[in-house]
Amino acid sequence: MSRSLLTVILAAGKGTRMRSQTPKVLHRIAGRSMLGHVLALAKGVGGEKLAVVVGPGMDDVRSEALAAASGAAVFVQENQLGTADAVLAAREAIAQHTGDLLVLFADTPLITQETVSALIGELDRGAQVAVLGFEARDPGSYGRLVTDASGALVAIREAKDASADELAIRLCNSGVMAFRLDRPLAVLDKIGNANAKGEFYLTDAIALVRDAGGRAGVVVCEEDEVLGVNSRRELSVAEAIWQRRARDRAMTDGATLIAPETVWFSFDTALGRDVLVEPNVFFGPGVTVGDEVEIKANSYLEGAQVGDGARIGPYARLRPGAVLGRDVHIGNFVEVKNVALGDGAKANHLAYLGDGTVGAKANIGAGTIFCNYDGFFKHKTEIGEGAFVGSNSALVAPLKIGAGAYVGSGSVITKDVPAGALALERSEQDVRPGWAEKFRSMMARRKAAGK
Ligand code: UD1
Ligand code: MG
């Protein structure tokens, strides 16, 4: 019986330890900002209403929030007075909302949908507030979850305010909380700042709910899920955890990864069935791969669509707008950008295909270059079905090569080639029989004469 959900995402932290011009929550994991990951999580658990709390002047964080979730409301927390104050920056959204309230942190991007659903499930089981906890390897400065003899959560104690007994508790607060209260603002407004940090602690909501006769529930997850990112090193740890999960998911879904630890996915990589991925393959954002595709070692793909049965690499580079039909072959040291290749088209060796189309079953020889750029504008190369482009050809765009046409090797083609024609652009071959022997004896004589 889950109810309408408002998710408040705290994204105000500047992240000074990142030593970056970029606000912390815009740093990326698997090609998507941490804020983007958390917004996707909120949407995934059915958070139809989203409020993002940013710091003053964080216009780029606001834009990212709106790009990822156009319906999100963005609020500014003017002064960082604590986590309760941060949630209250979204007062207007909370006041208008009837239903559950979920608080997530934009710098904690690895929490899974299952875990958040379990947290909301605690509310369904009668809790007015539910906290996501974890057994900390090193509890350090985390808030401790204080339970009574029956194991019920009675309070969260911040480390700076905790007694020695409380500090010994290993069950810690991740920060993530969910509320099912008729008037959440009545509780949040009661939170004071008489504590060691002089901050308004969201965690004080637990004791307040309990005092009013409510129940506080706890859901425990793995520490990895609630990793908070405060430095580049932690960012890399989060990336590693994310990648490990993505590799497992890809294999569960029917892809073979020969050396999973060397394959890098983006947040939106989509692989079909029976895809084989060899070692050292990198997927940038926006790649979809059909069924029974082979991606050979050391290939780099981004913004590309790969049709069923295609063979990519080794050492191939597919850039945005590469759209490959069925059974297309893109071989070693071939770069494809903004080109659609029809079914069965091949470019197997050493080529640049940029801006254009290649018809079905066309064959692009080794060393072919689409000369798409004149220093000012990009132009298109259109190659018809079944055309054959000989090796080491420069195709100077704009250019059309008709269906079934041939381009002789080594040609620089600047004019359109009609269907079925041969275009050849090179000087006549000059053959001189016996020349080599004469040349060698002449040179040998010169050398013997010392000049
Ligand atoms: C908080 C929790 C603590 C928990 C820990 C988990 C409180 C009082 N304490 O402590 O129990 O174990 O997180 O990491 O909630 N933020 C704002 N505005 C503020 C203050 C914080 O947006 O005024 C954001 C921060 O950017 C950060 C998050 O809230 O993303 C947590 O704040 P932080 O100051 O790191 O709290 P902790 O002391 O770590
Ligand atoms: Mg913290």
Side-chain angles (χ1 to χ4, degrees):
M1 185 213 64
S2 48
R3 309 196 310 179
S4 139
L5 182 64
L6 167 66
T7 306
V8 178
I9 298 175
L10 305 193
K14 286 200 205 67
T16 39
R17 282 203 278 142
M18 302 292 277
R19 296 178 183 276
S20 176
Q21 294 287 91
T22 306
K24 175 166 74 170
V25 301
L26 298 188
H27 283 262
R28 291 171 184 275
I29 290 170
R32 171 154 73 180
S33 70
M34 292 196 271
L35 175 60
H37 281 280
V38 176
L39 282 163
L41 169 67
K43 286 197 244 175
V45 295
E48 56 270 35
K49 292 189 200 162
L50 301 167
V52 179
V53 176
V54 304
M58 286 188 170
D59 291 337
D60 37 2
V61 179
R62 176 191 298 270
S63 312
E64 172 79 354
L66 295 174
S70 54
V74 181
F75 298 91
V76 178
Q77 185 193 19
E78 292 296 342
N79 301 298
Q80 298 228 356
L81 303 178
T83 44
D85 178 68
V87 173
L88 279 169
R91 173 183 295 278
E92 203 184 299
I94 299 170
Q96 281 168 11
H97 173 70
T98 48
D100 295 342
L101 182 63
L102 171 68
V103 178
L104 297 175
F105 298 81
D107 64 357
T108 309
L110 296 175
I111 300 172
T112 63
Q113 274 188 35
E114 294 69 43
T115 295
V116 175
S117 297
L119 194 70
I120 292 167
E122 259 308 286
L123 303 179
D124 293 335
R125 283 186 291 277
Q128 279 70 52
V129 56
V131 176
L132 183 60
F134 65 102
E135 294 279 342
R137 286 181 281 270
D138 171 17
S141 63
Y142 289 119
R144 308 298 203 269
L145 300 189
V146 182
T147 49
D148 66 12
S150 73
L153 179 65
V154 292
I156 300 179
R157 192 80 65 232
E158 291 307 297
K160 282 205 169 156
D161 303 294
S163 66
D165 279 355
E166 288 167 340
L167 282 175
I169 298 171
R170 286 191 48 224
L171 187 59
C172 291
N173 174 28
S174 69
V176 173
M177 282 190 212
F179 300 89
R180 181 168 293 176
L181 296 167
D182 289 333
R183 294 174 57 231
L185 286 175
V187 172
L188 295 173
D189 279 329
K190 261 193 216 140
I191 293 173
N193 66 348
N195 52 52
K197 282 190 173 176
E199 284 188 4
F200 296 87
Y201 291 164
L202 182 62
T203 46
D204 283 354
I206 304 298
L208 289 169
V209 167
R210 292 266 312 179
D211 291 348
R215 180 169 89 74
V218 181
V219 166
V220 178
C221 71
E222 292 295 317
E223 183 163 8
D224 273 0
E225 270 193 60
V226 292
L227 173 77
V229 174
N230 295 297
S231 64
R232 308 264 183 168
R233 208 192 70 79
E234 286 167 349
L235 186 69
S236 76
V237 173
E239 177 82 40
I241 294 169
W242 193 97
Q243 292 295 340
R244 203 156 58 227
R245 288 184 191 166
R247 292 163 189 149
D248 283 348
R249 203 180 318 122
M251 291 186 283
T252 303
D253 290 348
T256 295
L257 311 184
I258 294 176
E261 65 287 359
T262 69
V263 177
W264 296 82
F265 291 108
S266 271
F267 68 98
D268 59 352
T269 308
L271 301 184
R273 284 290 165 86
D274 291 313
V275 171
L276 172 68
V277 184
E278 290 188 355
N280 299 318
V281 171
F282 186 93
F283 293 93
V287 176
T288 50
V289 175
D291 296 336
E292 290 172 33
V293 169
E294 276 184 31
I295 303 173
K296 293 174 184 292
N298 301 306
S299 294
Y300 190 110
L301 297 80
E302 58 182 322
Q305 288 174 43
V306 179
D308 296 344
R311 288 216 317 251
I312 311 299
Y315 295 99
R317 178 163 184 213
L318 300 186
R319 292 173 53 200
V323 179
L324 279 47
R326 278 178 165 270
D327 302 319
V328 165
H329 292 186
I330 297 296
N332 38 227
F333 306 107
V334 174
E335 174 179 346
V336 182
K337 183 216 65 168
N338 195 25
V339 171
L341 290 103
D343 296 350
K346 290 180 187 167
N348 270 326
H349 332 266
L350 301 156
Y352 173 62
L353 316 185
D355 299 310
T357 54
V358 175
K361 295 222 155 89
N363 193 311
I364 310 295
T368 298
I369 306 292
F370 287 15
C371 307
N372 61 330
Y373 187 48
D374 55 18
F376 296 90
F377 300 102
K378 299 280 171 69
H379 303 283
K380 278 188 81 176
T381 300
E382 294 167 61
I383 297 180
E385 283 189 25
F388 185 98
V389 178
S391 296
N392 202 31
S393 298
L395 307 179
V396 181
L399 186 68
K400 287 187 178 138
I401 294 179
Y406 270 73
V407 170
S409 298
S411 297
V412 178
I413 302 294
T414 55
K415 295 186 211 117
D416 288 355
V417 179
L422 166 68
L424 202 55
E425 192 281 334
R426 61 192 184 216
S427 46
E428 195 81 21
Q429 186 166 323
D430 176 13
V431 180
R432 304 178 189 184
W435 181 91
E437 183 45 42
K438 281 185 219 152
F439 177 74
R440 282 193 199 99
S441 38
M442 175 187 76
M443 295 307 272
R445 275 197 309 276
R446 275 196 201 168
K447 201 169 182 183
K451 39 180 174 150

